[in-house]
Amino acid sequence: MLTEESKIVLKRVLPFFLILIFIPLISYLIWIIYPSRKMDIVVVDKTVPNGRYQEHQSIFWALEYLKFQKREGEFYRDNKDYLGFFPDGSPSFGTFNGAGQLSDSEILEKATNLDVLYYADTYGVYEDDFTKVNSEEISEKIYGGLNRGDINLLREAAAQHKTIIAEFNTMASPTSEGIRSEFENLMGLKWTGWIARYFDEMDTTINHDIPKWFINQYVEQHNNFWVPPGPGLAFVHQDGSLEVFSNNLDYRGATPKIRTQRINQHGFKLPEVVPYPDWFDIVLIERDYQVISYYDIDPTDEGKEKLRAMGLPRYFPAAVVRDVGKGQYYYFAGDFSDMQSTLGSPRFKGLPKLWRGFHLVSDYTDRKSFYWNYFYPLLSQILDRTYSEKTAD
């Protein structure tokens, strides 16, 4: 028989037991029971300066949570199951293993076997990534940019109507102009030459994250004038031209917003408005693309004049899709998969819904908020649809 005191203690302890042990255990068991699915996914990531794998680890988290496995029946591992740069701490900083190292027959075989080709990031690795020197100049490239092998793999995958996903930075610097043109023609996209990023403070005495080269070149191009303090959007063109939009002068609202219509043609279920403070590129799309989401910086009249002078539209595509036979082409005009911090174990059913409750969609300073509220829901829906189309054949 329990004493009254024991009953009181039990009532107090039981909720903590349910939260800390019972519920996670049930969640884990449900994930274990949930059937795995085979799908061949090739991820290309050349921007891997360390073991955090920040440009593709969030993709691999989603793959394991959704229980997508390689044809051998193993889960994808973010430290080896990709094409790109592999850091190893050696004097040469690492090795690379990409499509450029494959023969024509190997590329054809890989394209035939894959279900999804994902270009996560091709910006590459640079000497400054492995040193602590804070140089004012752009560092020397070690490895990066699209190459002939990447284009050949893309062409073969496109010819077979495979699902292709690409995101910033796939075709921008340091990819050569000729290779970029081939990528644009294959994907049906056109880069305007502009990339942009939000900074919460343009006062250089306060914010030391603004690149020194940007500050120096902007001042040189604008008659030794720097921008007012406060939030701003930095625009960089491939020809070296720089612009800054100042908050409340050139645009309204602190951060750019990713807007998704509640009813969109492909039926993606995403938040209607998500703040986005990271790098994005500005692209033009062919008419057969459908816009899933778009960027809205809410420019003032002065901002609209600046956009016209820069040759840019009022709105910029953020995520687009194009149907190609049995497959789709997706382009994310932002550094969507970038995740510097770890996401924890993916082996608990219901985690995305739980984390969406903890990470407010409006908190642009929380990178995980963007992942749980926008990128994971988008990626998971794409992967589920691709698998459904594959198994329907």
Side-chain angles (χ1 to χ4, degrees):
M1 296 292 291
L2 293 175
T3 64
E4 288 299 321
E5 184 177 351
S6 299
K7 291 179 181 179
I8 293 174
V9 172
L10 185 60
K11 287 181 180 180
R12 291 177 178 176
V13 171
L14 186 59
F16 292 100
F17 176 81
L18 290 174
I19 294 172
L20 296 178
I21 299 178
F22 185 72
I23 294 177
L25 178 61
I26 294 298
S27 174
Y28 176 73
L29 291 176
I30 293 174
W31 184 90
I32 290 291
I33 296 170
Y34 199 83
S36 60
R37 297 175 284 180
K38 302 289 195 303
M39 195 155 67
D40 199 306
I41 301 165
V42 175
V43 174
V44 179
D45 183 7
K46 302 187 179 186
T47 312
V48 189
N50 52 54
R52 291 199 299 266
Y53 308 104
Q54 71 182 61
E55 297 295 341
H56 70 254
Q57 63 132 325
S58 67
I59 301 170
F60 283 65
W61 192 98
L63 293 178
E64 186 166 353
Y65 176 77
L66 296 167
K67 300 200 75 170
F68 286 113
Q69 294 181 334
K70 297 182 290 184
R71 63 179 57 204
E72 300 86 0
E74 299 176 348
F75 287 110
Y76 290 88
R77 295 173 58 184
D78 60 9
N79 64 341
K80 72 170 189 176
D81 293 319
Y82 66 96
L83 298 178
F85 188 78
F86 294 79
D88 60 12
S90 67
S92 61
F93 306 114
T95 59
F96 50 87
N97 179 23
Q101 283 67 55
L102 301 177
S103 66
D104 291 344
S105 60
E106 288 172 327
I107 285 177
L108 177 59
E109 181 182 5
K110 186 169 286 290
T112 301
N113 291 333
L114 67 81
D115 299 300
V116 177
L117 175 58
Y118 196 130
Y119 288 95
D121 199 301
T122 68
Y123 181 67
V125 288
Y126 296 76
E127 289 184 0
D128 280 0
D129 292 326
F130 303 96
T131 64
K132 296 182 179 180
V133 178
N134 186 16
S135 174
E136 295 187 9
E137 302 298 327
I138 298 175
S139 177
E140 287 293 321
K141 182 182 76 172
I142 297 172
Y143 174 71
L146 284 175
N147 57 39
R148 174 55 51 195
D150 297 314
I151 291 297
N152 290 342
L153 178 59
L154 176 65
R155 181 179 288 107
E156 291 293 347
Q160 299 183 44
H161 295 165
K162 300 300 178 72
T163 293
I164 299 169
I165 306 171
E167 66 174 81
F168 175 95
N169 179 332
T170 296
M171 59 179 163
S173 176
T175 295
S176 67
E177 186 174 345
I179 293 292
R180 179 185 305 127
S181 295
E182 291 190 61
F183 176 88
E184 291 174 328
N185 291 334
L186 286 168
M187 291 291 290
L189 303 164
K190 180 67 177 178
W191 181 38
T192 63
W194 288 102
I195 62 174
R197 187 187 189 279
Y198 167 79
F199 289 98
D200 57 6
E201 179 54 68
M202 298 304 296
D203 188 333
T204 58
T205 64
I206 298 175
N207 189 353
H208 301 290
D209 290 334
I210 304 173
K212 291 183 179 179
W213 61 264
F214 182 90
I215 299 169
N216 295 338
Q217 293 181 29
Y218 183 93
V219 170
E220 183 179 337
Q221 293 178 21
H222 293 80
N223 300 317
N224 293 321
F225 173 76
W226 183 239
V227 298
L233 302 177
F235 288 81
V236 182
H237 195 274
Q238 62 175 332
D239 66 6
S241 301
L242 306 177
E243 271 299 344
V244 173
F245 280 44
S246 296
N247 190 39
N248 294 326
L249 294 176
D250 302 306
Y251 78 103
R252 306 176 186 89
T255 63
K257 305 294 191 300
I258 293 180
R259 297 187 182 274
T260 306
Q261 292 183 332
R262 180 174 297 178
I263 301 176
N264 53 75
Q265 185 164 335
H266 279 260
F268 285 98
K269 296 179 181 179
L270 299 164
E272 291 187 61
V273 181
V274 178
Y276 182 74
D278 214 328
W279 285 106
F280 63 94
D281 51 0
I282 303 169
V283 299
L284 306 176
I285 56 176
E286 293 185 354
R287 291 187 176 182
D288 52 354
Y289 268 98
Q290 297 294 325
V291 176
I292 301 171
S293 308
Y294 62 91
Y295 291 110
D296 182 7
I297 66 171
D298 194 11
T300 62
D301 290 340
E302 292 80 0
K304 291 176 184 177
E305 287 295 327
K306 273 190 175 183
L307 289 175
R308 280 192 284 269
M310 296 161 67
L312 298 180
R314 164 70 173 80
Y315 301 102
F316 319 137
V320 296
V321 58
R322 177 188 192 185
D323 290 319
V324 284
K326 295 180 180 179
Q328 287 84 36
Y329 297 166
Y330 294 90
Y331 189 76
F332 306 151
D335 203 7
F336 288 1
S337 62
D338 177 61
M339 178 62 65
Q340 296 188 27
S341 58
T342 60
L343 293 167
S345 173
R347 300 190 174 193
F348 293 91
K349 196 66 178 174
L351 271 183
K353 289 184 179 180
L354 175 66
W355 291 134
R356 277 199 296 274
F358 281 100
H359 297 273
L360 298 178
V361 67
S362 59
D363 186 2
Y364 70 86
T365 63
D366 181 4
R367 181 66 189 188
K368 290 183 179 180
S369 172
F370 178 78
Y371 181 77
W372 296 120
N373 287 286
Y374 183 84
F375 181 58
Y376 171 80
L378 174 60
L379 180 60
S380 64
Q381 290 175 75
I382 291 172
L383 294 173
D384 285 339
R385 292 178 185 205
T386 302
Y387 181 78
S388 296
E389 290 168 1
K390 171 191 174 182
T391 54
D393 293 341

